[in-house]
Amino acid sequence: MTDPTAAPAECHVVTHVHWDREWYRPFEAFRARLVELAEQVCAELDDGRLGSFHLDGQTIVLADIAALRPDLADRLRSHAAAGRLTIGPWHVLADNQLVSGENLVRNLLAARRWASGANLADVGYSPDAFGHPADLPRVLAGFGMDTALVWRGAPPGVARFRWRSPDGSEVFAVNQAYHAAEVLWPAQHSDGGEDSRVAEFLTAERDRLPGGPWLLMNGGDHLAPSDAAARVADARRAAAAEGVTLRESTLQEFFADARKAAAAHGHPPLHEGELRVPGDRLTFVLPGTLSARVDIKQANAAAQTLLERWVEPALALHAPDDDTLAAELRHAWELLLRNAPHDSICGCSVDAVHRENHVRYERIGQIGEHVLQRALLASGLDTRLYGERPAEETSFAVLNPHGDEHTGPVTVELLTSVGRFPAEVTGPDGLPVPFEAEDLGVETSFEADLELLPDSKPSQRHRLRLRAHRVPALGRRLYRVRLSDAPVEAADPHDSRELVLADGSTAAVADDASLTLTRPDGTVLTGFGRLADGGDSGDTYNYDPPRADSLRTPVVRAVRRTVSPVRTTLEIDAVLTVPRGLTADRSARSAEEVELPLRVSIASWHGEAALRWDVEFDNAAEDHRLRLHLPTRHGTGSWTGDGHYALIERPVTADLGPLPDRPGHEAACASAPVQSAGAIGFGAGRVTVAAPGLPEMRGIPGADEGTEELVVTLLRSVGWLSRFDLRSRTTGAGPMLATPDAQLPGRRTFAFATTLGAQTDLARLAASVRVPLRAAQVRPGTEDRGSAHELGVSGALLTAVKQAEDGRGLIVRVSNPAPEPAEVLVRTPSGTSVEVCRLDETPDATGVRPVVAADGALRWNAAPFSLTTLRLIRA
């Protein structure tokens, strides 16, 4: 009981629902309930039983409902327009760590389209994401939002704080105690406990933030509200006894009061960077979702890259007025966003959900490749192989999606007449280019299109690899291939375990399939690229160590070295013998073992510092975890990973913290999300890895004093959505449902690149590996009308080239993700006006002001971690 003479504090009650589109039920099963919920919400808003309602911050519910009941979606829009219902600001509540920055931007842009005519919320609402990236305040601020409601990963015990991105963008953040559905919810039995639940909630909130105002989110996962206005009225007496005024409210009203109170009591504490702090009871970060069902992460990385870096730029630059292709691209983005919610991309749903995810990714690929082909065709490049197969000569184009001139490896497949083989490749200057050729055999190839009759032709298929030089920014180079009747003699593999790297280091294959690196100064680094397999008694949310574990490494059976004109390759055949699964009580790995044949290919391209790795094996074991270890002898106590638009430094910590001894808690874990790359160490011992689609990395202490390791999780095989008997998380995180597909049986492949030494630019290595050069054979008779584009960027990374949402011009976004300033130059097409924009593509009066140089290029000094969006409009 509080002092009755004190001025009453205020508690805002926001009635809401948290709606997972798919999770422990597939999408259609959840949507059926969503429509029922929408009917009830509209009815109670109509008759006043609900004063207002928050529809979970995502406009996707409008789309899902409209597909079945457009009349009901219209009613929801009407309530939103009248201020009784809040939707957005997101289109979907994505896991904002596992998707790219551009994915988050497209998410918020899509919400503005879907909320047309409705009142879109302006609170950065992200209540249930499994942690939050450092760049989220930047993204929110880029859409005019200066507030955020968060939960998992926020500093425990801190109710309000200023949250700042690396670039200095800041939002006022509220750490919401999310599990409050039971406070005003109808009791299962008439136990008279509602008053005590209200008192307990208010006491807990007062402990976190004396004086308030406080926020009670009245609702929960998939729960339909029932007569909320009456329940708030009934609870006012219990609240008054605690010296608190209880009122129905909205998030906007709450944040206005919360900011006013914070200003009156001085600035709240500052938190910089990502939110991944282990929380209090039931506030789990759930780090195992970074690597659960890694095939979903790999598919997402490929789909994002296709749309962001290939399809969008090609359409914007070559076919900006094609409304049909633009609609297809929007549809592909819609499919990609529908795979972004945390229960989807995190891999923590029932198997049926993830089978649908894969179908969506396949559809994205189908749409994306079609739009890209059409955009290239509009630019004069016809990649449809039709008619007689070439017998004397053929051509292929190497395409560069980057903002600056690019050199790198490229692979292209060619079709020729049967019995004809590549004999010589010449570049645009007419000079011979070294290449490696592989004959893939004879097939009957097929092509057809709107103006092309179906065409089946016997063809010889070849795979060529070469290193393309100086491909212009956002442009291409045409290579010609002379054909002959005899294949180029392939290099014979030799039984050798060594290769020489570009910097003079030597690499030798050890018996466990790792490399022993000897540097030119004599320094020896062992265990580089070691693969280690251990047990995992966890679920899709958390890794859990078996009480009795056994760590296994491969045993090499054979090594072959092949030297081609463009690269030297070590091909390692090994066997990884592991327990088949867990014992019946899940406390140890089983005595029964299974052999997993393993193939590791390591390629050193001539003239390149990076080693390119491919690992593949057939997964026939269960409940285990396979990880890649990259050690350094030059530890600094921290490691760096690439975030959305900034490089993020993190501490080197223990692999797994102390196991919790209280119910409802979670062990701290060293794992952290990266977009695609990480680095550890300094100087000659600095180790860098780029691994697109493998987002779980960590820096841990090495076995020897002063050493450290960068560890990449390749695979987690688990068989349960959630379990209640883990040691690393002492309660369930969802229903206990079997998920046999999450064991990921079958063929698994992983690709990554590594470098050793201080000279590697982590952000550029990540970009070049995540978005490699691409090549396509050109239809006979096609004359390429151009190889370069007037647009180009130097000194920064190009992250987006797209048509503006309103159709007015081109949006170009460049990033300086490094902690040092950079001189940036952007070449623009002649006769172009330039406008600096926010991420929402509205004018930004506070942004950089580029200087127009004499050559017409834009120049400016980009601050550390900065991001600049430009709108280019042709006169």
Side-chain angles (χ1 to χ4, degrees):
M1 189 75 69
T2 59
D3 181 359
T5 65
E10 192 163 57
C11 180
H12 294 250
V13 179
V14 176
T15 300
H16 78 113
V17 67
H18 175 53
W19 198 266
D20 302 289
R21 294 185 78 241
E22 47 192 18
W23 178 23
Y24 54 78
R25 294 187 179 105
F27 164 67
E28 292 293 354
F30 266 132
R31 177 162 64 177
R33 291 162 176 80
L34 174 63
V35 174
E36 294 170 356
L37 177 137
E39 287 185 295
Q40 180 174 327
V41 166
C42 284
E44 296 203 9
L45 287 173
D46 288 340
D47 63 20
R49 285 176 290 163
L50 263 179
S52 62
F53 189 72
H54 180 65
L55 196 53
D56 201 29
Q58 48 184 341
T59 59
I60 188 67
V61 293
L62 294 177
D64 290 342
I65 293 168
L68 298 182
R69 290 281 307 279
D71 61 312
L72 195 54
D74 288 342
R75 289 176 66 190
L76 291 171
R77 289 180 187 276
S78 296
H79 283 301
R84 293 183 291 271
L85 182 83
T86 54
I87 56 174
W90 301 99
H91 185 48
V92 301
L93 286 178
D95 181 279
N96 43 51
Q97 301 170 118
L98 288 171
V99 301
S100 68
E102 292 300 321
N103 190 310
L104 292 175
V105 172
R106 301 308 180 281
N107 191 339
L108 289 165
L109 290 174
R112 277 142 182 77
R113 291 195 301 271
W114 279 100
S116 176
N119 187 20
L120 194 68
D122 60 357
V123 172
Y125 183 77
S126 185
D128 199 30
F130 304 157
H132 303 275
D135 275 315
L136 190 57
R138 180 209 306 260
V139 172
L140 296 175
F143 281 79
M145 287 177 275
D146 59 2
T147 56
L149 183 72
V150 295
W151 176 42
R152 301 181 192 273
V158 179
R160 312 282 188 270
F161 59 97
R162 293 151 52 217
W163 182 18
R164 183 180 296 168
S165 284
D167 72 318
S169 300
E170 193 173 296
V171 295
F172 175 74
V174 170
N175 179 3
Q176 171 58 27
Y178 185 68
H179 281 290
E182 71 282 354
V183 176
L184 298 182
W185 205 254
Q188 296 296 317
H189 305 284
S190 181
D191 58 2
E194 183 172 313
D195 286 1
S196 64
R197 293 196 302 271
V198 171
E200 288 171 6
F201 173 81
L202 293 175
T203 298
E205 287 300 282
R206 185 178 281 112
D207 289 344
R208 290 202 313 153
L209 187 72
W214 303 302
L215 174 64
L216 169 57
M217 295 298 289
N218 178 35
D221 294 0
H222 323 118
L223 294 173
S226 176
D227 205 6
R231 295 192 181 284
V232 173
D234 291 344
R236 285 194 175 114
R237 177 180 53 80
E242 299 296 321
V244 177
T245 298
L246 208 65
R247 70 180 178 95
E248 277 195 282
S249 187
T250 66
L251 286 175
Q252 287 84 347
E253 291 170 342
F254 163 72
F255 269 97
D257 279 3
R259 294 201 87 142
K260 183 178 178 180
H265 294 89
H267 289 296
L270 174 67
H271 182 93
E272 296 184 280
E274 58 193 345
L275 300 183
R276 290 190 57 79
V277 183
D280 295 322
R281 181 178 176 272
L282 298 180
T283 304
F284 306 130
V285 178
L286 307 174
T289 58
L290 298 177
S291 52
R293 300 188 196 255
V294 71
D295 56 337
I296 291 288
K297 280 73 168 176
Q298 291 172 309
N300 184 73
Q304 280 182 166
T305 297
L306 176 62
L307 298 188
E308 293 174 11
R309 302 308 307 279
W310 289 107
V311 181
E312 270 189 346
L315 189 57
L317 297 176
H318 304 310
D321 300 322
D322 194 315
D323 293 339
T324 297
L325 294 182
E328 289 168 351
L329 174 58
R330 282 195 301 273
H331 178 49
W333 266 113
E334 178 71 16
L335 291 171
L336 185 58
L337 292 175
R338 292 182 183 205
N339 273 352
H342 53 260
D343 297 306
S344 303
I345 195 171
C346 285
C348 52
S349 292
V350 293
D351 290 342
V353 166
H354 298 295
R355 289 194 289 268
E356 292 183 11
N357 292 155
H358 278 295
V359 171
R360 287 188 200 125
Y361 285 126
E362 290 170 4
R363 292 169 63 193
I364 293 163
Q366 295 161 16
I367 298 166
E369 293 297 339
H370 171 77
V371 176
L372 179 59
Q373 183 198 64
R374 289 296 197 252
L376 292 175
L377 188 60
S379 76
L381 196 68
D382 192 345
T383 59
R384 301 171 300 172
L385 303 182
Y386 190 80
E388 294 302 320
R389 299 295 175 251
E392 301 301 324
E393 182 181 87
T394 188
S395 300
F396 64 89
V398 177
L399 311 173
N400 175 17
H402 299 281
D404 52 1
E405 188 177 77
H406 203 76
T407 295
V410 69
T411 301
V412 61
E413 292 194 3
L414 306 177
L415 294 177
T416 69
S417 296
V418 175
R420 302 296 285 175
F421 301 89
E424 182 184 55
V425 176
T426 55
D429 55 7
L431 296 178
V433 175
F435 69 97
E436 174 185 315
E438 180 182 0
D439 176 28
L440 300 179
V442 176
E443 64 180 63
T444 299
S445 59
F446 172 80
E447 180 61 277
D449 209 334
L450 294 175
E451 82 284 17
L452 303 178
L453 289 171
D455 178 42
S456 296
K457 290 286 190 297
S459 307
Q460 193 96 28
R461 183 176 289 274
H462 315 271
R463 180 177 293 135
L464 267 61
R465 295 182 177 90
L466 68 151
R467 191 162 182 258
H469 288 264
R470 304 189 64 179
V471 184
L474 296 167
R476 57 192 182 239
R477 287 202 182 279
L478 203 64
Y479 288 75
R480 300 195 181 278
V481 182
R482 181 173 60 82
L483 305 174
S484 72
D485 59 3
V488 174
E489 187 174 338
D492 291 328
H494 297 279
D495 293 334
S496 174
R497 291 191 173 206
E498 293 189 353
L499 58 78
V500 179
L501 309 187
D503 65 354
S505 300
T506 60
V509 179
D511 289 340
D512 63 357
S514 69
L515 295 182
T516 298
L517 299 176
T518 304
R519 304 285 288 166
D521 64 1
T523 302
V524 177
L525 184 64
T526 59
F528 189 80
R530 179 171 61 97
L531 298 171
D533 186 274
D536 190 341
S537 56
D539 54 25
T540 59
Y541 293 105
N542 289 77
Y543 161 77
D544 199 59
R547 294 180 183 274
D549 201 359
S550 56
L551 202 63
R552 304 297 180 90
T553 56
V555 175
V556 171
R557 295 288 174 84
V559 181
R560 296 169 299 281
R561 184 179 71 181
T562 303
V563 181
S564 82
V566 296
R567 61 181 188 155
T568 301
T569 305
L570 290 175
E571 196 168 80
I572 306 167
D573 287 329
V575 172
L576 181 61
T577 304
V578 300
R580 184 174 291 278
L582 297 175
T583 55
D585 63 1
R586 301 180 61 83
S587 66
R589 302 188 80 176
S590 63
E592 183 184 0
E593 295 183 335
V594 60
E595 289 189 348
L596 309 181
L598 190 75
R599 169 71 58 85
V600 180
S601 296
I602 308 170
S604 175
W605 284 75
H606 303 166
E608 288 218 336
L611 289 177
R612 309 277 178 149
W613 302 63
D614 290 284
V615 176
E616 59 178 319
F617 71 99
D618 197 357
N619 183 31
E622 295 184 344
D623 299 302
H624 67 120
R625 180 177 67 170
L626 180 65
R627 302 197 295 176
L628 169 75
H629 292 253
L630 299 166
T632 177
R633 300 180 65 85
H634 301 80
T636 64
S638 66
W639 66 282
T640 303
D642 64 332
H644 292 80
Y645 297 111
L647 299 179
I648 309 299
E649 189 171 347
R650 301 181 174 100
V652 170
T653 58
D655 204 356
L656 190 67
L659 299 177
D661 55 6
R662 294 176 295 166
H665 285 74
E666 179 185 57
C669 182
S671 67
V674 298
Q675 285 297 298
S676 60
I680 196 168
F682 71 96
R686 181 174 171 83
V687 173
T688 305
V689 60
L694 300 173
E696 182 180 276
M697 293 189 190
R698 67 192 75 196
I700 63 174
D704 299 326
E705 186 175 353
T707 64
E708 296 171 350
E709 291 185 321
L710 190 63
V711 181
V712 184
T713 303
L714 302 184
L715 178 79
R716 282 187 68 228
S717 293
V718 292
W720 292 90
L721 178 68
S722 174
R723 290 191 65 90
F724 289 78
D725 57 355
L726 306 191
R727 296 190 297 150
S728 60
R729 189 196 69 237
T730 51
T731 192
M736 189 167 166
L737 299 173
T739 55
D741 287 0
Q743 297 284 5
L744 296 186
R747 203 71 179 163
R748 299 295 151 196
T749 61
F750 311 96
F752 49 92
T754 62
T755 65
L756 189 63
Q759 75 280 2
T760 300
D761 182 325
L762 176 62
R764 291 194 177 276
L765 175 70
S768 65
V769 175
R770 184 172 64 248
V771 197
L773 295 176
R774 179 176 178 139
Q777 188 175 3
V778 176
R779 183 180 173 187
T782 299
E783 290 295 330
D784 189 18
R785 295 201 299 261
S787 62
H789 196 273
E790 295 176 274
L791 181 64
V793 177
S794 62
L797 297 178
L798 185 67
T799 70
V801 177
K802 63 182 289 290
Q803 278 293 101
E805 292 296 297
D806 59 8
R808 193 172 64 90
L810 192 69
I811 297 296
V812 175
R813 191 154 30 252
V814 296
S815 167
N816 173 27
E820 301 85 21
E823 290 294 327
V824 178
L825 180 148
V826 176
R827 299 188 314 276
T828 63
S830 58
T832 299
S833 64
V834 179
E835 181 179 88
V836 180
C837 296
R838 303 190 312 187
L839 291 175
D840 63 2
E841 303 181 10
T842 61
D844 184 3
T846 65
V848 299
R849 287 292 171 265
V851 174
V852 181
D855 59 1
L858 307 174
R859 300 175 187 270
W860 70 92
N861 184 36
F865 308 119
S866 61
L867 186 68
T868 304
T869 302
L870 305 173
R871 183 195 292 265
L872 308 182
I873 304 174
R874 281 192 181 273

